[in-house]
Amino acid sequence: EAVYGGCGRNEASLRRHIMETEEPWYPNGTFPYEKYRERFMALFQESLERELPIKKGVRELLEYLKEKQIKTAIASSTKGPLVRKHLERTGLSGYFQEIVSGDMVEKSKPEPDIYLEVARRLQVVPEDCLVFEDVPAGILAGKRAGMTVLAVEDDFSRELSGEKKALADGYICDYSELL
């Protein structure tokens, strides 16, 4: 619960969530959060250093959207420098007009702040936005922002597929389904 429930949250929200989740085992705030965070970030950084797979159809969809001059952005709870590093490594950075990270907004997913900030920066109304999300907190954030949300199948959140399908406006296994 602590791991899956923490997906899509910024640093402050993640800390609150972990401390609340672990309260029964570590009463009165005794959970060693800093040690946990240090280990988690090391593992996360290590995973970013490896070649992370790009979901099937992503590059083709981004190329299509670029050709049609449709604005695109990333709204990630991950800190901005890590997002940019991954985009550079995968060769996808040139496809996005905006990158908004969790450390740039006050409230993290499932609150709509990050998606509303993306819409503001792209100068579009939220109702005209389509969100692709792989975790329930992100789906809720997109819906709360008034956007259409497609849930995306993901190995990491496979156990949450039922919840994602129930929350989202649609569900795709990969991006090639949209082409």
Side-chain angles (χ1 to χ4, degrees):
E1 170 61 27
V3 173
Y4 289 120
C7 293
R9 296 175 185 259
N10 67 13
E11 179 72 26
S13 177
L14 177 62
R15 181 185 190 98
R16 278 191 307 277
H17 172 75
I18 295 291
M19 295 303 281
E20 289 168 5
T21 304
E22 297 301 323
E23 178 66 23
W25 296 277
Y26 295 90
N28 303 316
T30 58
F31 179 76
Y33 179 77
E34 292 307 321
K35 189 173 184 175
Y36 163 83
R37 183 186 179 285
E38 183 180 309
R39 178 70 178 136
F40 177 83
M41 290 308 294
L43 291 171
F44 183 70
Q45 187 65 39
E46 184 181 307
S47 75
L48 286 179
E49 294 302 323
R50 293 190 304 257
E51 185 61 36
L52 295 177
I54 298 172
K55 293 188 187 304
K56 183 178 176 189
V58 165
R59 199 174 303 277
E60 295 83 357
L61 177 61
L62 288 171
E63 193 58 45
Y64 172 82
L65 295 172
K66 186 175 184 177
E67 182 180 294
K68 298 293 181 185
Q69 297 182 338
I70 297 172
K71 297 175 183 178
T72 57
I74 294 214
S76 176
S77 296
T78 302
K79 291 187 177 184
L82 290 175
V83 173
R84 285 178 185 79
K85 184 176 181 180
H86 182 62
L87 289 173
E88 293 287 328
R89 192 170 38 254
T90 58
L92 297 177
S93 60
Y95 290 104
F96 300 99
Q97 287 76 50
E98 294 290 339
I99 297 171
V100 179
S101 54
D103 52 346
M104 298 168 73
V105 294
E106 185 177 334
K107 296 179 186 170
S108 70
K109 300 172 186 177
E111 298 305 319
D113 298 32
I114 197 164
Y115 284 116
L116 294 173
E117 180 62 16
V118 164
R120 185 188 72 74
R121 287 173 179 237
L122 291 177
Q123 298 179 344
V124 295
V125 294
E127 295 79 20
D128 290 343
C129 295
L130 176 60
V131 171
F132 298 98
E133 261 295 348
D134 59 2
V135 294
I139 295 168
L140 284 171
K143 297 298 292 177
R144 289 174 178 170
M147 300 174 177
T148 301
V149 181
L150 289 181
V152 181
E153 186 172 295
D154 184 70
D155 288 340
F156 180 74
S157 61
R158 188 171 309 267
E159 299 83 15
L160 306 173
S161 292
E163 183 180 359
K164 293 182 339 184
K165 288 176 182 177
L167 293 172
D169 297 299
Y171 188 91
I172 60 171
C173 293
D174 63 61
Y175 294 92
S176 64
E177 295 175 41
L178 303 172
L179 299 172

